[in-house]
Amino acid sequence: MIQSIKIEENRFGFEPEVVAKIAQKRLRVYEMGISYRGRTYEEGKKIGVKDGWRALYCILKYNLPQVPVPIQFLFYCFIGGVCAVVNLLLFLSLHSAGFDLTVSTIAAFALSAILNYYLSIKLIFRHRARWKTAGEVLAFFGVVVVVGAFDLYSTRWLVAVGLAPWLAKLIATAFGLVLNFTGRRFIVFPESGRPDWKPQNPDSRKH
């Protein structure tokens, strides 16, 4: 089974990666006692603080693609929130610099969408889950175009009915957060569900 798992990590991220992939295969794990004497740093111990951060990143990277949708959405809110702030700040900067509403909205949304794609495949969704890279990028930008059109026209409509540009953009961005997650989860980076746990064979403990 371990030979059937594609190993991507080459340092201390190996442990959380393998644990996650074994869990996703619904393999039953048994514990065996061993004797172990860890090396000191003087004897050549190589693990450090950066490896701890890498391990935390690996826990997220290899588990989040298949966690339940509500948990994915909570983590996506962080990514979407960061990108929403970038979107809003870019919009305000461009608009205050003299660019018209349409140009400011489209440019801010496009740049934040690129950041969103990068963070999505780094933290939550599995790169090339269904599509090859080119197909994935096309699917992503298809969703971006649809959500971007919603973002543009809803912002313009809210400004037209009397809201301040910053408030109009903030409301449109909040709705766009939900639409973005839905498009990414079910169109761009779809994941098949985990297999069910198989009933445990009582006799297997004897072997």
Side-chain angles (χ1 to χ4, degrees):
M1 290 308 301
I2 198 70
Q3 290 175 341
S4 71
I5 296 174
K6 180 182 178 182
I7 305 299
E8 301 173 50
E9 298 296 317
N10 57 12
R11 281 184 58 82
F12 297 102
F14 166 84
E15 290 89 342
E17 176 193 4
V18 170
V19 169
K21 291 181 176 180
I22 286 175
Q24 289 161 13
K25 286 179 175 290
R26 292 300 195 241
L27 300 176
R28 197 169 294 278
V29 179
Y30 296 91
E31 184 177 8
M32 294 181 63
I34 64 169
S35 59
Y36 171 72
R37 178 182 176 276
R39 291 177 296 173
T40 65
Y41 285 101
E42 290 75 16
E43 293 173 324
K45 185 179 180 71
K46 295 178 174 62
I47 194 168
V49 174
K50 67 176 183 178
D51 298 300
W53 286 110
R54 179 69 187 184
L56 179 60
Y57 166 73
C58 291
I59 290 171
L60 297 176
K61 176 181 178 181
Y62 296 110
N63 285 282
L64 283 179
Q66 291 195 356
V67 299
V69 171
I71 298 176
Q72 276 187 338
F73 180 71
L74 287 177
F75 278 91
Y76 182 78
C77 284
F78 168 74
I79 288 177
V82 169
C83 295
V85 170
V86 171
N87 190 354
L88 182 61
L89 292 176
L90 286 172
F91 169 78
L92 294 174
S93 299
L94 293 170
H95 192 59
S96 63
F99 293 93
D100 67 29
L101 187 68
T102 300
V103 172
S104 299
T105 301
I106 292 175
F109 186 85
L111 292 172
S112 63
I114 294 172
L115 176 62
N116 188 291
Y117 177 78
Y118 175 79
L119 293 177
S120 290
I121 61 176
K122 282 293 182 180
L123 288 177
I124 299 182
F125 302 114
R126 196 183 310 279
H127 189 36
R128 296 190 292 269
R130 172 183 290 179
W131 321 100
K132 292 184 178 179
T133 301
E136 182 178 280
V137 171
L138 288 174
F140 180 84
F141 280 103
V143 171
V144 166
V145 168
V146 172
V147 179
F150 171 85
D151 182 78
L152 171 61
Y153 288 108
S154 60
T155 301
R156 293 178 64 177
W157 179 78
L158 290 168
V159 169
V161 299
L163 293 183
W166 70 268
L167 182 57
K169 182 64 175 176
L170 187 62
I171 293 172
T173 300
F175 280 102
L177 179 67
V178 178
L179 294 177
N180 269 317
F181 172 76
T182 303
R184 284 151 179 69
R185 175 62 179 81
F186 297 104
I187 298 175
V188 185
F189 308 104
E191 284 281 349
S192 56
R194 294 182 180 184
D196 292 333
W197 287 103
K198 295 181 179 180
Q200 184 175 0
N201 180 4
D203 294 332
S204 64
R205 293 178 181 271
K206 301 176 181 178
H207 299 293

